[in-house]
Amino acid sequence: DQQVKQNSPSLSVQEGRISILNCDYTNSMFDYFLWYKKYPAEGPTFLISISSIKDKNEDGRFTVFLNKSAKHLSLHIVPSQPGDSAVYFCAASGGQGAQKLVFGQGTRLTINP
Amino acid sequence: DVKVTQSSRYLVKRTGEKVFLECVQDMDHENMFWYRQDPGLGLRLIYFSYDVKMKEKGDIPEGYSVSREKKERFSLILESASTNQTSMYLCASTWGLSYNSPLHFGNGTRLTVT
């Protein structure tokens, strides 16, 4: 039973355009959400997070939006750059911190020049 | 910068072998984790440890055990490797278990069991 789902295995975007990565969850107890980015041959690195008391969090070119009623979050990257090409994982937690993180399947983002 | 080092990048083992995956972190983090990453399944937690000699099962602990004798080192043990344990294994650490302590991952060990 996949509690966190990233339904798009891959996404291709032109350089300079907006990239939108989506994530859906089923567990209404989740109250903290994170995005990790993974390059080939490297471990995931933390990108951005959002608490359920907010509906938006911004960090430079990266913005995460949370729609609690739809149980949906999205990561926007504007403008997209070639270095953003990576696999992006969303993760959710329900009050117990890092040890209870549930990850999605990942979306491979390719930025085309 | 936090460094989490996994001793092997690639490992090939035979079915039935005992396999040790080693992980060392250099930031005095209390908490360490072992995940496996499989296509279409994302990252799944195998075990985590919140202190020396302390461990808790994650979501998929069957067929695995762990050892944490020193704070900086967390080992994953496959007692008798099987082909369904072929996977990418990722070690991670964090200083706390609260929301503002993201995981720091190693570069992974790709294990193939033949």
Side-chain angles (χ1 to χ4, degrees):
Chain A
D1 177 27
Q2 195 84 22
Q3 296 186 71
V4 177
K5 292 183 184 178
Q6 293 175 256
N7 291 317
S8 298
S10 63
L11 177 67
S12 187
V13 174
Q14 193 140 12
E15 182 179 359
R17 299 287 190 109
I18 183 171
S19 296
I20 300 176
L21 294 95
N22 294 303
C23 181
D24 297 298
Y25 61 96
T26 57
N27 190 338
S28 57
M29 298 300 292
F30 288 149
D31 61 357
Y32 199 74
F33 305 88
L34 305 92
W35 285 92
Y36 284 82
K37 174 180 177 179
K38 184 181 185 301
Y39 291 120
E42 294 184 15
T45 55
F46 169 71
L47 188 57
I48 193 170
S49 62
I50 188 167
S51 162
S52 61
I53 62 172
K54 293 185 171 183
D55 53 20
K56 177 183 172 182
N57 189 27
E58 199 169 346
D59 183 1
R61 296 186 298 114
F62 302 91
T63 303
V64 57
F65 295 92
L66 175 63
N67 182 334
K68 289 185 289 294
S69 60
K71 295 192 178 70
H72 176 83
L73 67 154
S74 59
L75 174 68
H76 292 213
I77 307 173
V78 182
S80 301
Q81 298 174 356
D84 297 329
S85 295
V87 177
Y88 290 79
F89 291 97
C90 70
S93 179
Q96 296 181 54
Q99 76 272 33
K100 290 299 181 183
L101 272 182
V102 179
F103 284 85
Q105 306 96 311
T107 296
R108 181 178 302 278
L109 175 65
T110 302
I111 306 301
N112 301 306
Chain B
D1 240 6
V2 177
K3 192 142 178 80
V4 179
T5 303
Q6 294 184 231
S7 56
S8 301
R9 195 86 185 92
Y10 298 96
L11 273 180
V12 180
K13 297 291 182 181
R14 293 199 179 273
T15 302
E17 275 193 79
K18 189 168 185 175
V19 181
F20 293 86
L21 302 184
E22 306 288 345
C23 175
V24 177
Q25 50 94 3
D26 66 357
M27 283 300 290
D28 204 35
H29 283 174
E30 301 289 338
N31 308 287
M32 297 187 74
F33 304 78
W34 276 106
Y35 287 87
R36 63 178 279 178
Q37 181 195 351
D38 299 289
L41 295 176
L43 279 69
R44 292 179 293 165
L45 180 64
I46 304 171
Y47 268 97
F48 79 96
S49 169
Y50 51 92
D51 201 351
V52 174
K53 297 191 187 294
M54 307 303 287
K55 61 188 179 187
E56 281 197 24
K57 292 179 180 178
D59 299 317
I60 50 164
E62 297 79 18
Y64 303 95
S65 62
V66 290
S67 171
R68 188 144 180 227
E69 296 295 320
K70 293 185 177 180
K71 191 175 186 180
E72 68 271 18
R73 186 179 297 269
F74 192 34
S75 303
L76 180 69
I77 303 154
L78 287 66
E79 294 289 341
S80 177
S82 63
T83 54
N84 63 12
Q85 292 177 310
T86 291
S87 187
M88 169 68 82
Y89 289 87
L90 292 161
C91 176
S93 73
T94 183
W95 61 268
L97 293 174
S98 63
Y99 297 133
N100 60 348
S101 56
L103 296 169
H104 298 267
F105 284 89
N107 286 340
T109 296
R110 183 164 294 283
L111 173 67
T112 302
V113 182
T114 60

